[in-house]
Amino acid sequence: MPAWLKDAIFYEIYPQSFKDTNGDGIGDINGIIEKLDYVKSLGCNALWINPCYDSPFKDAGYDVRDYKKVAPRYGTNEDLYKLFEEAHKRDIHVLLDLVPGHTSEEHEWFLESKKATRNEYSDRYVWTNGWLQGVPGHPYIGGEADRDGCYMLNFFKCQPALNYGFLNRTEDWQKAPDDPACLATREALKDVMRFWLDRGCDGFRVDMADSLVKEDDENKSATGAIWKDIRAMLDADYPEAAIISEWSNPMQSLKSGFHADFYLDHHGNGYNTLLRDYETAGGDHSFLKKDGNGDIMRFLNDFLPKYDSTKDDGYISFITCNHDTPRPRRTLEFQELKLATALFLTLPGVPFIYYGDEIGMRYLDIPTKEGGYTRTGSRTPMQWNHGKNLGFSDADSKDIYLPVDPSADAPTVTSQENDPDSLLSTVKALTKIRHEYTDLHADSEFEVVYAEAEEFPFVFKRGELYVAINPSEKKAGVSVSKKREKIYEIGTTEIKENSLIMDPQSFVILK
Ligand code: NOJ
């Protein structure tokens, strides 16, 4: 386990929309370098950068055309190496996004694989034996290749599935995971990882990490075996490198070698009951909304079994949101966002802040771009100041990648940085405390002290520290030893006799 993860607070950067330094209307690697001091000032000491490789961008770069080449619109490989170097000077680790399950249909492996004559790449992707023979139970494409077969898709139409084999095989074209062709795919993936790790990258966020072996068993044991093998490579040759999975099943991912796993925006799970307030399918009723309709037990009943059974294997990652989910500002107000940040930065595991959530950027209702659809509204340009294009780019406004928030009160970094009461200042104060107190680090003990269905507050212990949160509009109280001392609070809290009295929408850390 890389020791640096214990104290890591990640910042996710969607490169299209962070900072444009060459005036072409799209963010670039040099823009990320320019803003490293900002990232540091936030208290973030690690980055996850969404795919920045050469791509036709039909799925925002998750359709990789060349794993080893930076997309020209973002800059050059040299720019990325410089980013690693400049980040390291500031003690910031950098994770790239690894897309192991599929490539773009324009990747040279696929162009070879499509050919009628057999070659080294013929079995690099999942193909059936005939132009009329589909892939049972999966999306596939026929009629587009010279080769007599259909190929399987892993996500969009532009993303053919790489071939890691099938665990349960019913068709003769399905290969075993240890077939030489599937082992070659795995080696090609390791080669990509080594390429970037050798050049200064500190690890990977792994896209759809559970999607490698098809018709796997319910524990995903064949896919897990591949990750165990990859983890062994890292332990031997890159012990400081981290891999963090998009899997959202820590019992599978952390047991398969991932250092951390994202707690994702899946309907009805514990994460959603904390942060989301969707009204569909019964509603998740965010615990953090002041209306007090949330219930902390809905979170704990989901989280605790996962946490208890995996805490010795790795970390669960709480995210403010990501490039696939609506920004929390869509349903939460500023005070609620402050409380959300406070909770996420005091829970165990490795937290992730999505760019712009630290200032409460809005989710915009805008048309799709690059396969974003409803996700596009969370991918708009970072709002630095009230200048042209909110400081994102010097380009003509009609030429920028996505529109900036047009509202007169669009939150910006400059409007919040000197206001001690702003969301940005709250984020900074909390990251500072998290770094200062090892009890708040990823691996420190977590114990529930007070949690009752439909009651407030929620109180938990991290090592010797007590953390209490009352997101509701009503006062709430709980008994505590009067010797405890406040080290940080949001709103007003008071220790009277042996009770902690919490005003509406308050939070406190006691030592
Ligand atoms: C998950 C990524 O986060 C998402 O943006 C992408 O569209 C799919 N995987 C496919 O790679």
Side-chain angles (χ1 to χ4, degrees), residues 56-76:
F57 290 98
K58 291 184 179 174
D59 183 15
Y62 283 95
D63 46 332
V64 180
R65 185 164 48 200
D66 184 343
Y67 284 107
K68 296 183 180 173
K69 183 181 169 198
V70 166
R73 71 186 198 176
Y74 297 142
T76 62

Side-chain angles (χ1 to χ4, degrees), residues 59 62 99 102 155-156 159 205 207-208 246 323-324 375 379:
D59 183 15
Y62 283 95
V99 189
H102 48 266
F155 196 66
F156 284 155
Q159 291 154 324
R205 172 269 186 184
D207 184 69
M208 294 172 66
E246 185 194 38
H323 61 290
D324 291 333
R375 309 176 292 184
R379 299 176 175 184

Side-chain angles (χ1 to χ4, degrees), residues 384-438:
W384 297 105
N385 55 51
H386 279 278
K388 186 176 183 187
N389 300 319
L390 301 185
F392 162 66
S393 168
D394 287 337
D396 202 289
S397 298
K398 68 173 182 4
D399 296 330
I400 61 168
Y401 172 74
L402 281 173
V404 295
D405 183 349
S407 335
D409 66 347
T412 64
V413 172
T414 45
S415 65
Q416 292 193 19
E417 63 192 349
N418 296 320
D419 172 4
D421 208 31
S422 67
L423 178 59
L424 180 61
S425 300
T426 306
V427 171
K428 288 183 184 177
L430 281 155
T431 55
K432 188 159 176 273
I433 290 171
R434 186 172 169 112
H435 291 309
E436 212 169 289
Y437 288 90
T438 50

